[in-house]
Amino acid sequence: MQIATWNVNSLKVRLPQLLDWLSRDPVDVVCLQETKLVDAKFPIDALAQAGYAAAYSGQPTYNGVAILTRRETVGEPSDVAIGNPLLEDPQQRLISATVAGVRVISAYFPNGQSVDSDKYVYKLGWIDRLLEWLQPQLADGAPLALLGDFNIAPEDRDVHDPAAWAGQVLVSEPERERFRALEALGLVDAFRLFEQPEKFYTWWDYRQMAFRRNMGLRIDHILVTGALRGRVRECRIEREMRKREQPSDHAPVVVRID
DNA sequence: ATGGCCCGTAGAACGGGA
């Protein structure tokens, strides 16, 4: 089974690329972020034609998350939950569902804008509430995967120019502390389970020809519980998706598990 | 050089992204 995450930066714009990708590589579960679609405009019909069911939660203009499941292999998402009950939040950033015995969470962490911004305070609080909400879910050791755009580069090796980024939003110590707090709950960064090439990132700015120059950050992640860790066979970043015409600024990340 | 580009909502610029 393959589980993927992709910040699409508008599902309306990226739908043809998503369908083309899934037709070539029929990933079983796809977590999406930044769909930027109200629920009434979610492309359920086009996805159904491609063989996928969907759980989704959107709003106008901003945010929006979804979980797609390939009907033929993993069926429909069950026990769908939207948001975090510990946080009253109009921003649609979190959706969970059970798929093939795995609790799957698609998360779009706040960006934070800058460390002196109100949005940064919101980001840290959002993650703190996420930690509180996750802790009891992880207690029973059941298989769970937290996937999404974390908007955190956990270590300097996840940053193309650590000196230039030092202390800034996405790499600041309070954000990295919270990433480590997720790991302390028993979650493991699937990408780091394997030997990986250096300078592998998941996001590149649209400006400055950043992708061509590989000026990127690794901020999209797949974290798995101990119950899944031993089943993970591969974790890869689909860099090819960033090379396409009219790409998302994020590349998908995929895990293959037994 | 503190912007560059892309997206949605607009129906011109602007907020937001990272």
Side-chain angles (χ1 to χ4, degrees), chain A residues 24-99:
Chain A
R24 294 163 192 269
D25 188 2
V27 172
D28 301 283
V29 185
V30 186
C31 294
L32 301 177
Q33 301 86 37
E34 284 207 88
T35 57
K36 298 187 178 180
L37 285 176
V38 294
D39 290 350
K41 291 189 176 173
F42 198 87
I44 40 175
D45 293 338
L47 288 164
Q49 275 204 313
Y52 286 83
Y56 48 91
S57 181
Q59 66 183 88
T61 312
Y62 303 119
N63 309 310
V65 285
I67 298 173
L68 314 181
T69 65
R70 190 176 173 220
R71 281 205 168 93
E72 184 185 340
T73 52
V74 294
E76 309 256 340
S78 64
D79 298 314
V80 174
I82 290 164
N84 176 351
L86 303 179
L87 180 67
E88 193 78 38
D89 189 1
Q91 302 189 30
Q92 299 305 310
R93 297 181 173 277
L94 201 61
I95 189 167
S96 316
T98 301
V99 189

Side-chain angles (χ1 to χ4, degrees), chain A residues 172-184:
Chain A
S172 75
E173 196 49 36
E175 294 166 82
R176 286 179 165 176
E177 276 172 17
R178 282 161 176 80
F179 190 89
R180 292 194 293 270
L182 287 164
E183 294 176 318

Side-chain angles (χ1 to χ4, degrees), chain A residues 3-5 145-148 150 179 187-193 218 220-224 228 232 234-236 252-256:
Chain A
I3 308 179
T5 180
L146 172 66
L147 305 91
F150 286 54
F179 190 89
L187 293 165
V188 179
D189 183 348
F191 187 74
R192 294 295 180 208
L193 284 174
R218 193 176 70 92
D220 300 85
H221 306 294
I222 300 177
L223 270 51
V224 299
L228 275 180
V232 178
E234 179 193 17
C235 182
R236 64 178 189 276
V253 185
V254 186
V255 284
R256 187 162 49 81

Side-chain angles (χ1 to χ4, degrees), chain A residues 109-250:
Chain A
F109 287 43
N111 170 284
Q113 197 164 62
S114 67
V115 294
D116 56 3
S117 161
D118 289 346
K119 296 193 179 79
Y120 183 76
V121 176
Y122 164 71
K123 178 179 194 173
L124 298 183
W126 191 94
I127 302 169
D128 287 337
R129 299 292 85 73
L130 178 72
L131 285 159
E132 281 181 41
W133 174 68
L134 280 173
Q135 185 163 26
Q137 297 185 63
L138 298 169
D140 64 359
L144 180 148
L146 172 66
L147 305 91
D149 177 358
F150 286 54
N151 271 316
I152 301 171
E155 301 177 62
D156 278 354
R157 60 178 166 164
D158 302 310
V159 181
H160 70 93
D161 187 347
W165 279 88
Q168 298 204 49
V169 73
L170 312 184
V171 309
S172 75
E173 196 49 36
E175 294 166 82
R176 286 179 165 176
E177 276 172 17
R178 282 161 176 80
F179 190 89
R180 292 194 293 270
L182 287 164
E183 294 176 318
L185 291 179
L187 293 165
V188 179
D189 183 348
F191 187 74
R192 294 295 180 208
L193 284 174
F194 305 94
E195 195 157 331
Q196 301 285 0
E198 290 185 4
K199 304 183 190 304
F200 254 44
Y201 308 122
T202 65
W203 172 85
W204 302 261
D205 202 299
Y206 283 121
R207 296 165 289 189
Q208 289 184 288
M209 294 187 291
F211 181 68
R212 205 191 302 190
R213 299 159 69 188
N214 198 28
M215 296 167 60
L217 304 175
R218 193 176 70 92
I219 55 175
D220 300 85
H221 306 294
I222 300 177
L223 270 51
V224 299
T225 52
L228 275 180
R229 176 184 185 148
R231 293 165 57 190
V232 178
R233 293 289 168 263
E234 179 193 17
C235 182
R236 64 178 189 276
I237 298 167
E238 294 285 353
R239 291 163 54 96
E240 293 301 311
M241 296 296 288
R242 188 61 176 79
K243 298 177 182 172
R244 294 190 177 212
E245 289 288 318
Q246 204 177 11
S248 169
D249 43 357
H250 296 253

